[in-house]
Amino acid sequence: MVRVLAVLAVVLALGLAQRAEVSVGSPFGVQGGLRFPLVPLLLDGRVYGGAGLEALGGGADLLLKVPLTDLYLGLGAFYGTGPALTLPQDARGQGGVRAVLGTWLNLPLPFVGVYLELHPVYYLFPAPGFGLGGAVGLSVGF
């Protein structure tokens, strides 16, 4: 039953998704995910999962687009089975909340976008702490 629900959730997410994304950076190393509109031209949702040398995990973000710019801001949460990637190294944790500060790079590629993100992170466990991460990603529109 759990497997059927997981497959159903993935199929429905693919049906609602606007873009597929792959990024390298925090929190887990290499991530793959889906971005879908919640409020057209204003608010997107993103779900992702990833794997790195030390961690495996996933998370979700709400991303607010800044009108008339290529910038977006967001809040999200994540959880993994190992330490996430951020600086300083002693602030690494397995789960927490993060802010997302991102921008799209203006490249003349149809249906393909490249983005950069900065992630201020507050780890909730195994020990509370702050960290700072970042990511660069490739996004393909459907």
Side-chain angles (χ1 to χ4, degrees):
M1 182 66 175
V2 173
R3 289 181 185 170
V4 171
L5 290 176
V7 169
L8 184 61
V10 169
V11 169
L12 289 175
L14 288 172
L16 296 174
Q18 180 183 23
R19 305 186 74 79
E21 298 182 342
V22 175
S23 66
V24 177
S26 75
F28 301 112
V30 177
Q31 283 95 216
L34 297 172
R35 187 182 290 218
F36 47 92
L38 297 174
V39 177
L41 304 175
L42 187 61
L43 185 66
D44 286 348
R46 174 170 60 189
V47 293
Y48 61 90
L53 296 175
E54 299 181 69
L56 177 68
D61 298 323
L62 287 175
L63 305 170
L64 176 68
K65 299 175 185 178
V66 178
L68 303 175
T69 70
D70 291 331
L71 301 173
Y72 55 92
L73 309 169
L75 292 173
F78 63 92
Y79 176 77
T81 59
L85 301 173
T86 57
L87 294 174
Q89 291 294 315
D90 61 342
R92 299 186 321 165
Q94 295 175 333
V97 294
R98 71 179 189 169
V100 178
L101 309 168
T103 185
W104 292 96
L105 302 179
N106 292 319
L107 300 176
L109 302 171
F111 302 109
V112 176
V114 177
Y115 59 91
L116 294 172
E117 293 181 348
L118 184 64
H119 305 138
V121 177
Y122 180 69
Y123 291 108
L124 299 171
F125 47 87
F130 288 98
L132 183 64
V136 60
L138 180 70
S139 181
V140 178
F142 295 135

